[in-house]
Amino acid sequence: MSRWIITALPYSDRFKDHLAHPRNAGELGDADAVAEETNPVCGDRLRLSLRVRNGRIETARFLAYGCPPTLACGSVLAQMLEGMMIEDAMKLTRKEIVSGLGGLPTSKQHAAALAIETLHAAIINSGQDE
């Protein structure tokens, strides 16, 4: 008889906190910048809405559909963005999202890439990237 050993993926306390208590979740009715991107491999979706005033992100909201890392990445991204200048937001990297969560297993870092792609799409779609 063979035995299966199942181990949980190692998630940080920060990740678990964002998962249990997402920051800035929801819609933003008067958004200046909106994008929804989908990971074509796993089907996860992330929607990001931003209110921008004088080149600064005043408010950020997200909706996530998919795996827990997608929700946690949306949460940490939205939290990081508030108060940030657009040009600085465009420089954010997947690595910074992963770091903001206290790390992610390699197999789940696609969620951080989706967050960055959605951010860039929202800013570019709004014309705020100029």
Side-chain angles (χ1 to χ4, degrees), residues 14-73:
R14 274 189 279 171
F15 174 92
K16 292 172 189 173
D17 187 50
H18 275 277
L19 191 58
H21 309 284
R23 278 56 152 195
N24 304 344
E27 286 283 351
L28 186 59
D30 59 345
D32 301 303
V34 178
E36 185 171 309
E37 296 291 316
T38 302
N39 180 320
V41 176
C42 66
D44 287 1
R45 289 184 303 157
L46 186 67
R47 181 178 178 84
L48 184 66
S49 304
L50 307 173
R51 182 182 310 126
V52 181
R53 299 292 181 264
N54 300 316
R56 184 177 302 279
I57 299 169
E58 183 178 272
T59 309
R61 296 288 180 270
F62 81 97
L63 292 172
Y65 311 91
C67 68
T70 295
L71 185 140
C73 286

